[in-house]
Amino acid sequence: MGVSFEVLGPLRVVVDGEPVALPRGRVAALLACLLARPNELVPLGRLRGWLWDDEPRDPRGAIQTAVRRLRAGVGHDVVRTGPGGYTVPATPAELDLLRFRSLADTARRHEERGARGEAARLAGLALGLWRGPAFADVDAPGFRREVVPRLENERVLATLLWARTLGDRAAAITELARLTAEHPSRQDLSEALIRLLHHVGRRAEALAEYRRISGLLSTGVGPALRELHRSVLGDVAREPATTVPPAELPSDLTGFSGRDRELSQLDSWLHAGGTAVVTGPPGVGKTALAVHWAHRAAARFPDGQLFVDLRGWAPGQPRTPGATLRYLLGSLGVPAGRIPADPGQAEALYRRTLAGKRMLVVLDNAANAGQVRTLLPDTPGVATIVTSRDGLHQLPANRLTLDVPTAREAVAILAGILPTGAGHADLPELSELCGRLPLALRIAGANVASRPDASPRAYLDELRDGRLDALEVTGDRDAAVRAAFDASYQRLPPPARRLFRLFGTAPGADVSAAAAGALAATAPRTTRRHLDALTAAQLLRETAPGRFAMHDLLREYAAERAHATDRDTELRQARTRLHDWYLHSTDNAIRALDPAIAYAPLPPVPCGLRPAAPRDQRDAKRWLDAEQDNLVATILDAATGSGAHAWQLTFTLGTYFHSARPLEAWRAAAEAAYTAADTAVARVAALAGLAHLHHCTGDYAEAIAHAERAVPLLDEADWPTGECAIRWLLGMAHQHTGSLDTAAAQHRRVLTLTDRHAFTFHNLSTIAEQAGRLDEAMDYADRVFRESVAAGDDVGVAAALLATGRVHHHRGNLAEAEEALLRAYALVSGLDPLATARAELSLARLHVDQGRHADAADHAARVLRFAESAADRPSQAGARYVTAMVELHQGNAGAAAAQLTEALALAERSRLGYATVELLIGLAAAEDRADRALGHLGRALDLSGRVGCRGLAALAHLVRATVLRAIDADAAAEAARAAVTISGATGHRLVHARALAEVREA
């Protein structure tokens, strides 16, 4: 297994070429501490100092737990144990920090030999490895104080080397200015920046930097800086006077608000010149941002500020590059008669005129890169901002893509337009109805402000009736959101327009490239070309590789265009193609995710459709996670049409919903599928979905009721897969509520209906385990393992290992139990959240009996957090039971009783038979009054007889013996003998050993 690490930015781990998501928090922080000292033993004491300011109760145990979890995620050999600490071995090929250091050291040796060009190249390669601050997302206070600053110093020193040896002084100045802003008190950075500024003739800026650093340092600057300052002053005295600079910026926008991050980014990029492109969808506020920043930064450009509207997306023809050059040269004082007609000569004159100046040029509303390429002076000291709906990716520039402002910023924009107190309580709703699009916000604010009472209330009703109609300035159709969108839409080629329109009719928040191809019935390469055209025009955003989203106002505009342009039959066909694509893609994903389950009856894949085909379980899980919202939206959309896609998709998604637990989305999908079901098969599928949902939320009575409503339909449906689902759900619900024999009968019926037995064998193994038939439980677990290995089903293999580990635990084989449970945890971690929680809960129970109470508590806490978020009642009860046992072992009987009382109330509400017995026994062990303890045990023994859980019955007799020991020796001995007899018959050796000791004590 190949493992590599990236730490020069957010921490990344790559295993066999695929990124691995490590648990955030302690596990990631531990790995960071070890990677900061690769190939060195990092002692436990150093790790404790780096990881915590306030140590936990058992820091050594916490570090050991983190190491185990880290090894489970990236492989055991990645973290090696040494005397008193741990080591991560790594080579430069495996760790970017080592590659950076190797390149930087080689660059220094080249600089010493006078090979400046090669030194600059190698230093640039080293710096290119940085993706941001080192370990940017690692939360470890001591580590961030001690280690991260040293790594940042290495980066600064490499940058200084690069700047000293680089031939492109303008680029070096830009980078040094950025670093100086980040590290304002470093004299070495200021000295390098002043030296370069002086060298290229920008002496005013050099002096300004000297004034800044000398004013900042209370101890004064060093002798090297003072000498450099005297040299700059001598040259300044010989400079000629300058003329009055041009100042062409349009007025700043009244009430401009927010965009602090974007403004800071422009500050950083344009501090010493260079080019920045501000891009984004129509109406997002590109020009407003550029003009506001230009006014704010005008003092930095004492030789003038130029502004040109290139009219790239305005009605009529865009301004040509030649016309723009003539305009700019005229603004710079060049007489019209001296401007060459030849474009190349005019461009050269433009560059010569700007040489040595500190100027700002704003090129607004560019149509494409060709319109501005010759207008970028690339002259040190001259900053250029280009705004465009096009991404202008062909230009060598920093690029800022604007999104809509935050909710707070959007409300502030409206508040700045409206009179004080004018219905400001309605502004959050008004901003959301405007999609937080700045153009829409300003139109809405102007419309509201123009009314006599300046109240948004009536205008809100207009927006709800039709947002695009309401979002135009009264009497001026050009001042409208629809007009801004029209300008971009009309520039598209016809096929891209068609995809744009269809995109507006698609359910869900985003669309993948493959789904877009299904929607438009186009080949992948053609689809990608049209998507590129839409993203270049900023009508779509590529939110992740291959996934595209559209602002909700643009979506409304696209749907409006579709219904005005395309025939209803064409739109219905596109909708059906998309539903088919989601259905068959989901079926492929579920077959890869869980080969052991039964599947819905689906029609054949339509000719020409290319459904997604995930490669394996983890790929399937990633696809389902990415498409979850779209799948639910498709179900709701399909339920308003033919209905078949609604119940087919919902049934197919059952196993994913079971694991991922998106409960509200699942409920909406299940109810829509039930409403749309119009045949016996559809009704069985829909009732199975509702029963499955209620089973997963712990409402077992409702789950049984829905499943039993489906039983009379099974003969008419004649659908073995549907009957499997219904019988399985009945078996699971009865299993949780304590009717083990009824549950086993339902599961055995499932075995006669399908040749996929692993899932059912696992349930029968659990029932046998709870009933105290450990040999039978182990036999079923072996069957699950063999079938799952043959099917390549990691989740099934993990289920078999969990069952095996639990049986070993009951039998007292604790080492074998831990090995099986850790293997299971490693298989499902990051793949199946529910299975991961079950594995952690089994490990927590084991750790209690191993005396590893800190580890048990950590596992139980994580399980409880997941179980509460997922409404997983059995895991909630189990996690609280483990937490209580840890408290009890640590002498905190009151805290244990509180946990057990809360868990017991939950178990009784949900009719969890087995869990109720276990919790009553635990509550008895935590009781300080014998009469109450014996009452709990009486209830536990009575219920264990009805449930049939003999292993817990043995434990109840054992606890009863310990309670009676000081009250009635004969009764205590009798209870201990009962525990010995039952545990001897079931094979629960841990209980058996304790019971024998109790008999001897009696």
Side-chain angles (χ1 to χ4, degrees):
M1 180 172 66
V3 183
S4 62
F5 306 96
E6 296 175 12
V7 303
L8 303 180
L11 178 61
R12 290 180 181 171
V13 181
V14 178
V15 178
D16 292 334
E18 293 291 332
V20 171
L22 284 180
R24 293 292 89 190
R26 187 178 300 161
V27 174
L30 173 71
L31 177 60
C33 294
L34 299 175
L35 290 174
R37 290 193 171 183
N39 306 309
E40 295 180 27
L41 182 77
V42 184
L44 286 174
R46 176 60 54 83
L47 290 174
R48 289 166 62 175
W50 281 350
L51 288 170
W52 297 287
D53 281 339
D54 298 313
E55 286 191 345
R57 287 181 299 177
D58 182 10
R60 179 185 292 269
I63 291 172
Q64 290 170 343
T65 299
V67 169
R68 281 194 296 275
R69 294 183 66 201
L70 180 56
R71 285 170 170 165
V74 300
H76 190 275
D77 292 337
V78 170
V79 182
R80 297 182 183 174
T81 304
Y86 297 94
T87 303
V88 171
T91 66
E94 296 165 339
L95 178 60
D96 59 356
L97 175 59
L98 292 177
R99 289 198 300 281
F100 165 77
R101 287 172 172 167
S102 175
L103 286 165
D105 288 341
T106 307
R108 288 187 191 96
R109 289 195 294 273
H110 278 286
E111 183 189 21
E112 289 167 1
R113 294 199 298 267
R116 296 171 60 83
E118 184 61 10
R121 187 185 71 82
L122 292 170
L125 290 175
L127 292 169
L129 295 172
W130 289 73
R131 298 169 289 111
F135 298 102
D137 54 352
V138 171
D139 182 14
F143 179 84
R144 299 208 68 80
R145 285 193 302 269
E146 184 177 341
V147 176
V148 173
R150 290 205 300 267
L151 295 177
E152 179 62 16
N153 185 58
E154 290 185 46
R155 180 186 189 181
V156 170
L157 293 176
T159 304
L160 285 169
L161 187 158
W162 173 79
R164 286 194 306 270
T165 55
L166 188 68
D168 185 351
R169 292 189 175 86
I173 288 171
T174 299
E175 183 60 16
L176 286 175
R178 186 190 65 77
L179 270 181
T180 302
E182 289 182 5
H183 304 281
S185 60
R186 285 193 65 141
Q187 293 191 54
D188 53 352
L189 282 173
S190 279
E191 181 183 349
L193 177 58
I194 292 169
R195 196 173 297 282
L196 276 174
L197 289 169
H198 182 204
H199 188 82
V200 299
R202 289 159 59 177
R203 288 176 283 277
E205 293 169 73
L207 291 173
E209 174 59 18
Y210 181 86
R211 285 194 298 272
R212 185 198 66 78
I213 187 71
S214 60
L216 183 66
L217 300 177
S218 59
T219 57
V221 298
L225 258 179
R226 289 197 298 272
E227 180 60 32
L228 180 58
H229 179 230
R230 283 193 291 271
S231 175
V232 176
L233 283 175
D235 285 346
V236 167
R238 294 187 288 274
E239 285 187 349
T242 58
T243 58
V244 177
E248 297 184 350
L249 295 176
S251 300
D252 197 2
L253 194 63
T254 304
F256 185 95
S257 178
R259 300 292 196 195
D260 293 336
R261 182 188 65 81
E262 292 86 350
L263 291 167
S264 296
Q265 188 68 77
L266 291 173
D267 284 338
S268 172
W269 286 340
L270 301 176
H271 175 77
T275 302
V277 170
V278 179
T279 184
V284 81
K286 301 177 289 295
T287 301
L289 174 70
V291 170
H292 182 73
W293 182 86
H295 278 284
R296 198 174 78 156
R300 302 183 204 168
F301 304 99
D303 295 322
Q305 307 91 41
L306 305 176
F307 181 94
V308 189
D309 180 1
L310 301 177
R311 300 199 296 266
W313 300 87
Q317 292 299 312
R319 191 191 289 266
T320 66
T324 306
L325 264 178
R326 287 192 294 275
Y327 176 85
L328 289 169
L329 286 166
S331 296
L332 290 168
V334 179
R338 288 187 52 209
I339 298 176
D342 179 75
Q345 292 179 7
E347 181 185 345
L349 178 59
Y350 178 55
R351 295 175 187 277
R352 288 198 304 274
T353 306
L354 288 175
K357 289 184 167 59
R358 290 288 291 143
M359 295 196 72
L360 172 63
V361 181
V362 181
L363 303 174
D364 185 45
N365 198 14
N368 50 51
Q371 193 184 14
V372 295
R373 186 176 286 110
T374 60
L375 308 177
L376 305 181
D378 193 24
T379 301
V382 177
T384 305
I385 303 181
V386 186
T387 73
S388 179
R389 299 181 190 185
D390 190 288
L392 305 182
H393 292 283
Q394 305 90 333
L395 296 182
N398 292 299
R399 192 162 279 96
L400 184 62
T401 301
L402 293 189
D403 200 350
V404 295
T406 66
R408 184 189 299 273
E409 289 173 341
V411 168
I413 290 172
L414 287 169
I417 299 170
L418 297 177
T420 303
H424 282 204
D426 296 317
L427 296 191
E429 183 182 0
L430 179 57
S431 72
E432 292 305 317
L433 280 172
C434 291
R436 288 190 265 135
L437 189 72
L439 174 63
L441 293 168
R442 295 200 168 275
I443 291 173
N447 284 341
V448 171
S450 68
R451 301 184 178 204
D453 59 354
S455 171
R457 189 63 53 84
Y459 188 64
L460 286 171
D461 292 336
E462 293 179 31
L463 282 170
R464 295 187 196 101
D465 290 341
R467 292 195 294 175
L468 293 174
D469 288 334
L471 288 172
E472 63 178 46
V473 174
T474 305
D476 185 0
R477 294 184 61 83
D478 289 336
V481 168
R482 187 184 280 112
F485 293 168
D486 279 338
S488 291
Y489 175 78
Q490 297 296 345
R491 297 287 182 90
L492 296 171
R497 288 188 202 175
R498 175 175 175 267
L499 180 57
F500 172 75
R501 296 193 301 270
L502 292 177
F503 202 111
T505 68
D510 66 356
V511 172
S512 68
L519 184 67
T522 49
R525 185 173 297 179
T526 302
T527 305
R528 185 70 216 201
R529 187 167 63 250
H530 300 334
L531 289 169
D532 287 345
L534 293 172
T535 53
Q538 298 292 339
L539 295 174
L540 289 183
R541 287 180 296 115
E542 190 166 8
T543 55
R547 302 198 68 82
F548 299 85
M550 181 183 280
H551 187 275
D552 59 346
L553 283 174
L554 273 168
R555 182 181 288 274
E556 193 170 311
Y557 171 82
E560 177 182 273
R561 278 282 184 178
H563 290 294
T565 306
D566 301 295
R567 293 194 299 270
D568 289 345
T569 54
E570 292 176 326
L571 295 179
R572 281 196 300 272
Q573 289 167 358
R575 181 190 191 200
T576 300
R577 286 194 302 270
L578 185 63
H579 290 180
D580 283 339
W581 186 86
Y582 278 125
L583 177 61
H584 289 286
S585 298
T586 301
D587 185 58
N588 289 342
I590 294 298
R591 288 174 187 270
L593 182 70
D594 199 340
I597 68 158
Y599 307 107
L602 302 184
V605 177
C607 181
L609 196 71
R610 299 177 178 86
R615 300 181 302 274
D616 53 30
Q617 287 180 308
R618 293 187 183 275
D619 192 29
K621 172 69 163 48
R622 283 192 291 269
W623 187 89
L624 289 162
D625 286 344
E627 295 288 0
Q628 180 194 120
D629 291 344
N630 290 333
L631 293 171
V632 173
T634 299
I635 291 167
L636 300 181
D637 187 49
T640 65
S642 65
H645 287 96
W647 70 261
Q648 289 166 340
L649 255 178
T650 303
F651 185 84
T652 303
L653 282 165
T655 186
Y656 170 73
F657 283 156
H658 180 93
S659 169
R661 299 296 175 102
L663 297 178
E664 290 307 313
W666 189 1
R667 188 181 307 279
E671 290 173 352
Y674 181 72
T675 302
D678 57 358
T679 66
V681 170
R683 285 194 290 274
V684 168
L687 287 166
L690 287 168
H692 200 171
L693 170 67
H694 286 292
H695 167 266
C696 287
T697 57
D699 191 349
Y700 300 110
E702 196 67 21
I704 291 170
H706 281 299
E708 288 182 342
R709 285 174 58 197
V711 171
L713 299 170
L714 294 175
D715 287 341
E716 180 185 352
D718 190 23
W719 179 31
T721 297
E723 184 171 355
C724 279
I726 295 298
R727 301 289 180 195
W728 177 81
L729 287 161
L730 284 168
M732 291 297 296
H734 284 299
Q735 181 178 326
H736 281 303
T737 55
S739 303
L740 298 185
D741 291 341
T742 303
Q746 292 290 351
H747 289 313
R748 282 192 287 271
R749 172 64 177 151
V750 172
L751 292 177
T752 69
L753 297 169
T754 178
D755 58 357
R756 293 184 176 91
H757 296 155
F759 226 45
T760 307
F761 283 153
H762 175 253
N763 294 328
L764 288 169
S765 176
T766 303
I767 290 171
E769 176 202 342
Q770 292 182 348
R773 303 191 297 273
L774 298 185
D775 289 342
E776 180 184 336
M778 186 66 90
D779 178 61
Y780 279 126
D782 288 341
R783 297 190 201 183
V784 177
F785 186 85
R786 289 195 299 272
E787 187 169 317
S788 299
V789 168
D793 177 9
D794 283 352
V795 175
V797 172
L801 289 169
L802 280 179
T804 300
R806 290 196 300 266
V807 172
H808 278 310
H809 183 185
H810 293 314
R811 287 174 170 172
N813 305 326
L814 302 190
E816 292 89 337
E818 183 169 16
E819 180 184 1
L821 295 177
L822 285 173
R823 286 176 62 196
Y825 176 74
L827 281 171
V828 295
S829 181
L831 174 62
D832 186 324
L834 180 64
T836 302
R838 299 285 162 82
E840 287 213 75
L841 184 55
S842 296
L843 281 167
R845 291 176 179 278
L846 175 66
H847 291 332
V848 170
D849 286 331
Q850 290 175 319
R852 292 162 53 182
H853 299 136
D855 290 343
D858 283 347
H859 282 301
R862 281 192 295 275
V863 172
L864 185 59
R865 285 195 296 272
F866 165 79
E868 288 179 340
S869 68
D872 179 3
R873 307 288 187 254
S875 294
Q876 286 182 56
R880 289 195 181 278
Y881 174 81
V882 170
T883 303
M885 292 304 99
V886 170
E887 295 285 3
L888 200 57
H889 280 292
Q890 294 175 343
N892 304 321
Q899 290 282 349
L900 291 162
T901 300
E902 185 170 347
L904 181 61
L906 172 71
E908 289 178 333
R909 282 198 308 273
S910 300
R911 297 173 55 193
L912 298 174
Y914 185 89
T916 299
V917 175
E918 181 178 57
L919 291 163
L920 284 167
I921 296 169
L923 201 53
E927 265 294 348
D928 57 356
R929 285 181 47 179
D931 57 336
R932 287 204 293 246
L934 292 171
H936 294 318
L937 291 166
R939 287 181 60 200
L941 286 166
D942 177 63
L943 184 55
S944 68
R946 286 186 275 122
V947 171
C949 47
R950 298 172 65 213
L952 286 181
L955 181 61
H957 282 298
L958 173 60
V959 175
R960 190 168 185 273
T962 62
V963 173
L964 288 168
R965 188 192 306 156
I967 302 172
D968 186 335
D970 291 340
E974 180 183 353
R977 285 192 292 272
V980 168
T981 300
I982 298 172
S983 61
T986 62
H988 284 72
R989 293 176 195 151
L990 286 179
V991 175
H992 190 70
R994 290 171 56 197
L996 285 173
E998 197 65 38
V999 168
R1000 288 193 293 270
E1001 182 73 21

